[in-house]
Amino acid sequence: MKQNVMKWYENTELESGRTYSHKSLVAILQREKPSLSTSAYCWAINVMLHDGMLSKKSYGEYSLSDGAKLPEYSPDYSEIAMDLINTISRRYPYVQFTIFETALLNDFLNHMVAQNTIFIQVEKDSSVFVFRFLQEAGYKNLMYKPSLKEFNLYWARDSIVVTDIISEAPMRTANPHTITLEKMLVDMYADKLISGTYSKAECQSVFENAQECYLLDRKRMLRYARRRNKEDAIRRFLVT
């Protein structure tokens, strides 16, 4: 019978609960087997990730795996939100946009959002064209970059709000129009329209629930929070 032979990198001593950068892992592996090339150490890190020995906490950060890999967040959109994604992407295939709807927060809130609002965030130079296109296509309850006062005055069930997307927003490579968890968490706190649709007292539990259930790229999220001048506030919600 063929015996399982332990691979050299499986002897590497790593501390449970500690976060390692890619550079520090390479240095540790180099001490374990100094005769190899840098590419060999990078290969070993990738194999350790694939085999479940390591977990990726965020971009360039790793820790010993606890045996359970958190899934990537995938939003469960309503029919109207999916229709909007398909309609806009067909008409404007090269325009950057993403869709968030407040019903998505019900995965994390204790007191659920009863009335849904759909936010379409579009690259700045194209947002007004997307808005006019939706008007001509017959969509109802449309608003274009409303003030908070206008939003509260004209809001109706399933309102569709078109705004500009903030630069440096974390976007997906595949399915680029579906919102990332990092962007959603920052926007729910930083965006004055979105934050008015739920109780801000629930922010802490939302962040805790999100981190417990899904993979969260903290560096990516904090970079975006910094862009929105909310980095310190978002840091306070993160579970250490």
Side-chain angles (χ1 to χ4, degrees):
M1 179 181 288
K2 184 177 179 180
Q3 294 183 339
N4 291 327
V5 179
M6 181 173 287
K7 301 178 179 65
W8 66 269
Y9 49 80
E10 294 179 348
N11 291 319
T12 306
E13 293 186 5
L14 300 175
E15 298 176 22
S16 179
R18 179 180 168 185
T19 298
Y20 296 88
S21 67
H22 190 275
K23 184 178 180 180
S24 64
L25 278 177
V26 168
I28 291 169
L29 291 169
Q30 193 172 31
R31 289 196 296 269
E32 186 72 33
K33 202 168 182 71
S35 60
L36 301 180
S37 65
T38 300
S39 61
Y41 303 128
C42 294
W43 170 84
I45 291 171
N46 287 332
V47 174
M48 292 165 77
L49 279 168
H50 181 270
D51 292 348
M53 295 173 57
L54 289 177
S55 293
K56 193 170 185 178
K57 297 193 68 175
S58 64
Y59 181 77
E61 291 189 339
Y62 309 86
S63 64
L64 275 178
S65 176
D66 59 4
K69 292 184 178 180
L70 292 177
E72 182 180 352
Y73 174 71
S74 179
D76 185 15
Y77 283 120
S78 65
E79 288 185 13
I80 187 172
M82 287 303 303
D83 176 67
L84 285 164
I85 288 174
N86 294 331
T87 299
I88 298 169
S89 58
R90 282 196 299 265
R91 179 65 178 82
Y92 298 102
Y94 303 111
V95 168
Q96 183 187 55
F97 74 92
T98 188
I99 285 186
F100 164 77
E101 57 180 340
T102 53
L104 295 176
L105 294 176
N106 289 335
D107 286 342
F108 309 106
L109 292 171
N110 294 318
H111 300 92
M112 295 197 299
V113 174
Q115 309 294 344
N116 195 28
T117 307
I118 299 171
F119 293 86
I120 307 172
Q121 299 175 330
V122 188
E123 59 183 86
K124 187 174 181 179
D125 294 337
S126 301
S127 61
V128 69
F129 298 106
V130 169
F131 173 73
R132 288 173 179 165
F133 165 66
L134 295 177
Q135 273 187 320
E136 294 170 1
Y139 287 91
K140 305 299 183 183
N141 301 325
L142 282 165
M143 285 185 270
Y144 180 63
K145 297 200 290 190
S147 66
L148 183 57
K149 182 178 180 180
E150 291 169 335
F151 177 77
N152 291 332
L153 183 62
Y154 298 113
W155 181 91
R157 180 192 291 268
D158 291 327
S159 284
I160 300 170
V161 182
V162 180
T163 63
D164 295 338
I165 199 168
I166 302 295
S167 62
E168 300 180 34
M171 306 288 281
R172 299 177 190 270
T173 302
N175 301 318
H177 308 310
T178 62
I179 196 164
T180 63
L181 182 61
E182 294 82 5
K183 177 170 169 45
M184 185 170 75
L185 290 176
V186 174
D187 284 352
M188 68 172 284
Y189 182 85
D191 189 286
K192 63 183 179 181
L193 301 182
I194 296 174
S195 64
T197 63
Y198 72 99
S199 171
K200 269 198 170 183
E202 293 206 58
C203 268
Q204 184 65 61
S205 61
V206 168
F207 274 77
E208 290 174 1
N209 291 338
Q211 291 171 90
E212 183 179 342
C213 296
Y214 298 104
L215 182 67
L216 186 67
D217 191 328
R218 296 189 179 199
K219 281 189 175 180
R220 194 182 187 200
M221 182 172 66
L222 290 172
R223 190 182 310 119
Y224 179 53
R226 190 179 312 125
R227 176 69 181 84
R228 301 209 64 159
N229 298 315
K230 299 295 182 184
E231 182 179 7
D232 291 342
I234 298 301
R235 280 187 183 277
R236 290 195 291 269
F237 293 129
L238 294 176
V239 178
T240 56

